[in-house]
Amino acid sequence: MSTNPPNFHAITTVDQFQELMKNNLERISLINFWASWAEPCKVMNELVLDLAKKYPDIQVLHVEAEELPDITDNFDVQSVPFVSVLRGHEVLTKVEGADAAALTAAVAKHTQKIAAPLSTTTQAPATPPAAPASFEEKGESPDDLEKRMKALMNKSKVVLFMKGDPTTPRCGFSRRTVALLQDHKVEFTTFDILTDESVRQGLKVLNGWPTFPQIIINNEFVGGLDVVTEMAENGELQELLAA
């Protein structure tokens, strides 16, 4: 019988991953990238399972890196073990390698489970921890960001949000998407999401799609590479472009 707690999810498909990531944009998620051949992953996998049991309010997604490259590539995973801690779609911490202490501390910090020892006078700390910077403090409100993203989506009939640009794609999925559009003689403009973290994270929420590339046609989000590939094969892409 499985000993995995209900907040621990072994991810087998991109659709499953996307559905879980949509559920609660305020929830802390821990995404554990691992490989069966990597010995250090065994220790981290055990730790991740223990953290899922200790913190039932977090969501733990267990991703076998080489089996789900679309997810792995989106999180810029270069080696395993690799753990990303998020709130909604915002990356809070990345832990590379078998650094059990760093991961434990990161989860405790972001779930506010660390209890500061009380002094003999039980006084509160003189300087409270600084609150995360708001959009306003960064110079752009959520409404302004949404307007800017929608303007980018309306830049042309077909807009591709990708990593890199058509001449120098920065990931295999972006390169394949560019090739697909070019093979079908589609005219399109692009936006490099690696140049603007606000847009990169904001589009995941706006379009309800946590991976890139993202394809926009007629100012409407269509999908990622897999979706557009299927549309091209069954003729839906050509019909949409002709509309």
Side-chain angles (χ1 to χ4, degrees):
M1 187 169 72
S2 173
T3 58
N4 293 345
N7 61 329
F8 182 95
H9 306 276
I11 303 301
T12 58
T13 68
V14 174
D15 287 344
Q16 178 195 12
F17 177 83
Q18 292 172 341
E19 190 62 32
L20 288 167
M21 289 300 293
K22 289 180 185 177
N23 286 343
N24 186 339
L25 295 181
E26 293 300 319
R27 190 177 192 181
I28 296 295
S29 295
L30 188 157
I31 306 175
N32 177 42
F33 294 94
W34 65 284
S36 58
W37 48 263
E39 192 68 23
C41 287
K42 294 181 180 179
V43 174
M44 293 300 281
N45 287 354
E46 291 180 4
L47 173 61
V48 166
L49 182 57
D50 287 343
L51 290 171
K53 295 175 180 178
K54 183 177 180 180
Y55 298 95
D57 291 337
I58 71 172
Q59 173 173 251
V60 176
L61 308 182
H62 195 56
V63 179
E64 191 167 1
E66 293 181 342
E67 295 299 315
L68 294 164
D70 199 4
I71 301 173
T72 303
D73 182 77
N74 189 61
F75 283 87
D76 299 320
V77 178
Q78 303 298 321
S79 62
V80 290
F82 181 100
V83 181
S84 189
V85 181
L86 302 88
R87 177 178 287 106
H89 295 141
E90 177 190 1
V91 177
L92 301 174
T93 304
K94 297 178 182 178
V95 178
E96 301 182 53
D99 194 340
L103 179 58
T104 301
V107 173
K109 172 185 176 183
H110 294 299
T111 54
Q112 299 181 341
K113 292 293 184 180
I114 295 179
L118 294 176
S119 68
T120 55
T121 59
T122 66
Q123 289 180 334
T127 305
S134 67
F135 282 99
E136 289 78 5
E137 291 170 334
K138 295 178 181 178
E140 187 173 38
S141 70
D143 286 344
D144 288 341
L145 175 60
E146 182 172 340
K147 289 176 183 177
R148 186 159 67 90
M149 290 188 296
K150 288 184 176 180
L152 290 169
M153 292 169 61
N154 199 32
K155 190 175 179 180
S156 66
K157 185 179 183 70
V158 180
V159 180
L160 171 62
F161 289 93
M162 62 179 290
K163 295 181 179 180
D165 58 62
T167 57
T168 55
R170 296 284 297 278
C171 76
F173 297 98
S174 292
R175 181 175 61 252
R176 287 161 56 190
T177 305
V178 167
L180 183 149
L181 295 174
Q182 291 176 339
D183 288 346
H184 286 81
K185 305 295 189 293
V186 177
E187 294 184 3
F188 61 98
T189 58
T190 65
F191 183 88
D192 182 359
I193 52 97
L194 297 178
T195 65
D196 194 319
E197 189 65 17
S198 294
V199 171
R200 180 179 183 176
Q201 299 302 330
L203 283 173
K204 295 177 182 180
V205 179
L206 180 63
N207 294 329
W209 194 268
T211 59
F212 290 93
Q214 293 186 12
I215 298 100
I216 313 298
I217 300 178
N218 296 324
N219 202 29
E220 294 291 337
F221 171 68
V222 173
L225 173 60
D226 291 345
V227 172
V228 176
T229 298
E230 183 178 349
M231 291 176 63
E233 291 173 350
N234 62 27
E236 290 182 23
L237 178 62
Q238 293 80 354
E239 291 178 4
L240 186 58
L241 292 170

